[in-house]
Amino acid sequence: MRATDNGTRAVLAGCGVAVPPLRVDNQMLARVMDTSDQWIQERSGIVSRYYVEPGVGSAELGVEAARGALTDAAVDSSEIDYVVCATMTPNHYFPGGGTLIQHGLGLRPVPALDIRQQCAGFAYGMQVVDALIRSGIATTVLLVGTDVHTSLMPFTKRTWDVLLGVEESPLEPEELEWNSRFRHLCVLFGDAAGAMVFRAEADSERGILGARLFGQGEEKEILFVPGGGSACRPWVDERMIRDGGTVPIMDGRKVFKLAVTRMPKVTTELLAENDLALDDVDVLIMHQANLRINEAAQKVLGLPDEKVHNNIQKYGNTTSATLPLCFYEAREAGKAPEGSLVAFAALGAGLHWGAVLLRL
Ligand code: UT7
């Protein structure tokens, strides 16, 4: 038992997901940038991803996932007494997604918190939920992870039309060259949301057992958006957009190396902190940034395939939505039955990384 432990745990009551209807495969992306299905699959494992229609933001996707989680939990929306929203792509500069989701679900005016730890956002969110519930501040918490990456893609209407097959004539070389500048990023990401409802349970063996999280700002430069923030005046201007300054900068190799070493390390440390071992884990849900990262991390940990679940092939990297979306599918596949121990691990921009243990 932890020193602050009063026996109350944040127990998972339900999980829901939202995946937009528009499936985009690698060949469709190859119409608008210098890439290929072979390159994308070999380097990342990704086969497809899903995009929202214009006008659908992360809050709308979040509401849909939250509805699914409430139904799965058989919890009435009036019971929710706290909302935590993890997103790096809020509908607006401000306010964040928390109150938009609260309103979209028709909840009473409960506290609504936004957190933005990018790919580690949902893991951070679980620690926040755990603290809210164990402290007695909240009893039934909705945690949403939602991201719409298409809003970050620097594509013209014509690029979108060619990508989607609405327009058949090929792009001009300049437009192809512009899009190809961002090919290492654009091929990786997809839109989605995932949500979980947690409930306070007294003297429970189930629930969030612990979290081990880290933040290290000195690594900011390897994955960040330079333009469109308060360090710029105005926060966005035409030149910034023309130069691609509102598109993320990513040093993929560095992120790759950090993820491969840090996700297994923090998972092992967290298990030890909780007097548990790798053998006790029923399923490991890792952030889905690259299948090669997860294969390497699995090898470091020595876990068999049936104890790891990956779904990046279908969805790409969905940032804050990834952990609940991957958990949801692992549970559907029968890998996470009641009583099982789920380990979550993630690493992303900030730099933020960490692991969480959840007993179902
Ligand atoms: O959630 C956290 C977010 N991000 C990550 O975790 C990303 C982690 N990193 C990665 O997933 C990989 O580093 C990438 C998939 C981004 C890139 O794979 P890589 O094996 O590290 O390739 P690279 O960046 O070293 O690039 C190799 C070549 C380069 O060409 P040259 O310089 O050898 O001529 C790239 O320009 O591949 C080229 N390239 C592409 N080619 C076709 C980069 N992106 C593409 C592309 N299609 N989409």
Side-chain angles (χ1 to χ4, degrees):
M1 258 197 187
R2 283 169 287 173
T4 50
D5 211 331
N6 59 9
T8 300
R9 293 232 187 271
V11 171
L12 180 68
C15 180
V17 296
V19 176
L22 187 60
R23 181 180 182 273
V24 171
D25 63 25
N26 296 340
Q27 284 88 353
M28 291 164 81
L29 288 171
R31 292 179 193 151
V32 297
M33 63 187 75
D34 181 15
T35 192
S36 65
D37 178 44
Q38 191 189 354
W39 192 96
I40 300 170
Q41 286 209 45
E42 273 177 19
R43 304 284 177 133
S44 71
I46 298 167
V47 176
S48 62
R49 71 289 291 143
Y50 291 80
Y51 289 168
V52 295
E53 295 288 340
V56 176
S58 55
E60 287 74 29
L61 273 189
V63 166
E64 192 186 325
R67 285 210 179 98
L70 286 165
T71 304
D72 186 47
V75 161
D76 190 79
S77 58
S78 62
E79 292 175 56
I80 299 294
D81 56 7
Y82 217 112
V83 175
V84 181
C85 171
T87 186
M88 67 166 194
T89 52
N91 281 32
H92 308 291
Y93 192 82
F94 72 85
T99 49
L100 304 190
I101 291 170
Q102 170 267 330
H103 177 62
L105 287 169
L107 305 184
R108 60 201 160 92
V110 295
L113 183 70
D114 273 70
I115 60 167
R116 37 178 316 164
Q117 278 66 36
Q118 292 66 246
C119 301
F122 207 85
Y124 267 71
M126 282 195 270
Q127 187 183 56
V128 172
V129 170
D130 186 37
L132 289 169
I133 287 183
R134 282 195 299 108
S135 63
I137 290 173
T139 57
T140 311
V141 183
L142 171 67
L143 172 62
V144 179
T146 179
D147 272 300
V148 168
H149 298 94
T150 37
S151 62
L152 288 167
M153 292 177 190
F155 297 160
T156 61
K157 171 153 188 330
R158 192 163 144 70
T159 286
W160 280 114
D161 286 348
V162 173
L163 191 157
L164 299 175
V166 178
E167 171 70 68
E168 280 184 16
S169 55
L171 289 180
E172 298 300 320
E174 299 76 42
E175 198 159 352
L176 206 58
E177 197 181 315
W178 167 260
N179 296 342
S180 300
R181 252 181 78 180
F182 310 102
R183 61 182 178 174
H184 62 297
L185 275 170
C186 292
V187 301
L188 299 180
F189 293 92
D191 304 333
M196 290 184 181
V197 173
F198 290 91
R199 255 205 298 227
E201 207 171 277
D203 300 318
S204 186
E205 296 293 311
R206 307 190 294 159
I208 298 172
L209 304 185
R212 189 168 165 80
L213 303 172
F214 295 91
Q216 193 179 15
E218 71 205 67
E219 301 283 11
K220 177 198 93 174
E221 305 281 327
I222 65 172
L223 187 48
F224 81 115
V225 184
S230 59
C232 311
R233 191 179 296 176
W235 71 279
V236 69
D237 62 28
E238 277 174 27
R239 201 174 58 166
M240 199 187 283
I241 294 170
R242 219 174 30 243
D243 295 345
T246 55
V247 184
I249 285 179
M250 181 178 79
D251 183 338
R253 294 211 152 201
K254 281 204 180 141
V255 182
F256 193 108
K257 279 187 196 153
L258 288 168
V260 162
T261 49
R262 293 193 183 178
M263 286 201 296
K265 186 167 184 282
V266 70
T267 306
T268 324
E269 288 168 353
L270 179 62
L271 284 164
E273 259 176 32
N274 285 272
D275 299 321
L276 291 161
L278 272 168
D279 275 353
D280 297 312
V281 173
D282 293 288
V283 66
L284 171 65
I285 305 291
M286 282 181 277
H287 178 58
Q288 307 282 306
N290 186 315
L291 190 60
R292 311 296 161 237
I293 293 178
N294 292 5
E295 286 168 348
Q298 179 183 344
K299 205 166 161 195
V300 171
L301 292 169
L303 285 172
D305 288 349
E306 58 274 17
K307 287 197 170 194
V308 178
H309 195 77
N310 291 310
N311 62 1
I312 187 171
Q313 301 90 329
K314 266 198 277 181
Y315 304 110
N317 182 349
T318 60
T319 301
S320 308
T322 295
L323 293 184
L325 181 57
C326 194
F327 168 79
Y328 184 89
E329 294 206 337
R331 195 183 61 170
E332 298 265 290
K335 290 181 174 178
E338 232 177 277
S340 57
L341 180 67
V342 187
F344 294 90
L347 177 138
L351 197 75
H352 298 282
W353 74 99
V356 180
L357 290 176
L358 176 68
R359 174 77 67 191
L360 297 180

